[in-house]
Structures are given as C-alpha cells and as structure tokens.
Amino acid sequence: EAGVAQSPRYKIIEKRQSVAFWCNPISGHATLYWYQQILGQGPKLLIQFQNNGVVDDSQLPKDRFSAERLKGVDSTLKIQPAKLEDSAVYLCASSWDRQETQYFGPGTRLLVL
Amino acid sequence: RKEVEQDPGPFNVPEGATVAFNCTYSNSASQSFFWYRQDCRKEPKLLMSVYSSGNEDGRFTAQLNRASQYISLLIRDSKLSDSATYLCVVNEATGGFKTIFGAGTRLFVKA
C-alpha cells in the first residue's frame, strides 16, 4: 500500500514570497490533516478535512495560509506571503476516518530567509 | 494550562532499563488517545493506541486514567533503537473534532 506522498521535500524562499505544498493521501482515506512542526515542538494541527469539507481550521493563520482539498483526494497548502516564523516542517497525514490512526507523509521542510 | 502536556525530557537511560512517560490532557471530553514515535528528521509513526483497559505490545505498555486525565507509556528492557521522541496524541470531540499533539519527550538509550 502506497503511503502519504508530499512534495516538494525541501523549499527555501525569501520572506514575503509565496509557497505551495502538495499532499496525496493514502487511497480511500477520508480524513486529511496538515500540521506545522517547528523544531523542538510537537506537530500543530493547521487544518483537518473530512472528504472535501473542512472539519477544523481553528489554528490556521487565515490571513496568510490557505488550504483546499478539491474532489476529496489531493490537497494543497499555500502560504502567501511567507514570514520568517513560518520556517518549519509541514506534515500531511491521512486516516480512514476521524479519530482513527493517522499516517504521515515525509513532510516538506520550509526555510524562509 | 496546555491542552496536552508531556514530561519534559530528555530521558537518558542505559540499555535494559525501564522508563515511563506521562502525558496529561485538559479536556475531559477527549475521546481517543495514541502514542506516536518520531525519529530525528522523520515523520511521526504510530506506536500504539491507548485503551481504557490498558494495552501491551511486547516491551511497551500504555495506560489510560480518565479520572485523572493522563496517559502513560512504559518501555521495558530499553534498546538502543528505542532512542526517539515520543509524542502523546489526544483527539477531542467537543464542537468538532480536534487532534492535539504533545510537545514530545526525548529518549536517549545508551550502551
């Protein structure tokens, strides 16, 4: 069974630029999550989708972050414009349903200069 | 108070030692609980789910105490390969579903 795919794996941008991350969940998984993990901290949930609907986006900085999951499969997370404090690993995870085991992708390591 | 709090690390133990981690959560309506393991520069991976009756998987034992709102992870006969960060995860279901990770506890097992 293929795991969660993410791209790119690494990205370096300058502050105020835009960046987008892509995630392809495990086939059949209804729930998709985006997390931000800053060095030395646990993952922080940014947004959770159930199929193509948003379940929770309470911690998503909506003035600069946006995410979508069209057709309930792939998802993209965008940052526009980026700030220095956005430097982190962005993890995508999926699960069969809410509150089930989450399977993580390898993450995208973002550095904002 | 943080929603999910874990023992501050790091824990440095010799091979063969028994080590225990605790995690407390603030929302009494939390519904499901997990321990994940994260190796350096890797993604988190499920170690085990935590059930009310407690559960054991080889050298690992997880316990849930709903009355005191904490979960624990016990590792017996530590191996060098157990060196990692252990993340406590709590799923809440009040006014929507929310997944909260603890900050993690770092474990170093030394020969």
Side-chain angles (χ1 to χ4, degrees), chain A residues 19-105:
Chain A
V19 65
F21 312 128
W22 172 81
C23 173
N24 181 235
I26 293 173
S27 177
H29 279 194
T31 313
L32 185 147
Y33 314 77
W34 281 103
Y35 291 89
Q36 179 193 61
Q37 187 171 26
I38 292 171
L39 190 63
Q41 299 180 19
K44 182 180 88 170
L45 180 67
L46 294 176
I47 189 166
Q48 178 181 345
F49 292 95
Q50 181 71 8
N51 297 308
N52 60 350
V54 175
V55 174
D56 177 45
D57 63 356
S58 56
Q59 297 192 96
L60 186 74
K62 298 180 185 65
D63 57 333
R64 298 185 300 106
F65 286 64
S66 64
E68 60 182 11
R69 191 185 183 196
L70 299 175
K71 301 181 183 178
V73 183
D74 292 8
S75 177
T76 55
L77 176 70
K78 296 179 182 177
I79 307 175
Q80 181 178 12
K83 293 185 175 182
L84 297 177
E85 59 261 36
D86 298 332
S87 295
V89 176
Y90 290 84
L91 293 161
C92 178
S94 69
S95 60
W96 283 109
D97 202 349
R98 291 174 284 193
Q99 304 205 42
E100 298 292 328
T101 300
Q102 295 182 35
Y103 297 86
F104 284 81

Side-chain angles (χ1 to χ4, degrees), chain B residues 15-100:
Chain B
E15 269 188 298
T18 295
V19 61
F21 305 139
N22 288 323
C23 169
T24 58
Y25 59 95
S26 60
N27 189 336
S28 59
S30 297
Q31 294 195 339
S32 56
F33 310 87
F34 304 87
W35 283 102
Y36 278 72
R37 171 195 168 125
Q38 186 171 28
D39 292 294
C40 189
R41 300 181 71 83
K42 298 286 189 180
E43 71 273 21
K45 292 185 178 178
L46 178 71
L47 179 64
M48 56 199 309
S49 304
V50 188
Y51 304 118
S52 297
S53 55
N55 47 308
E56 187 174 313
D57 182 4
R59 299 181 293 108
F60 299 84
T61 301
Q63 297 277 356
L64 167 63
N65 185 319
R66 284 191 181 272
S68 300
Q69 294 180 204
Y70 78 84
I71 67 173
S72 63
L73 177 67
L74 183 76
I75 305 175
R76 290 181 298 278
D77 188 24
S78 299
K79 311 291 185 192
L80 295 176
S81 57
D82 294 334
S83 297
T85 296
Y86 291 83
L87 298 160
C88 167
V89 183
V90 174
N91 282 329
E92 299 180 351
T94 48
F97 290 92
K98 190 174 174 183
T99 298
I100 305 169

Side-chain angles (χ1 to χ4, degrees), chain B residues 2-17:
Chain B
K2 290 183 181 176
E3 293 171 296
V4 176
E5 283 198 81
Q6 294 190 236
D7 285 343
F11 283 58
N12 293 286
V13 302
E15 269 188 298

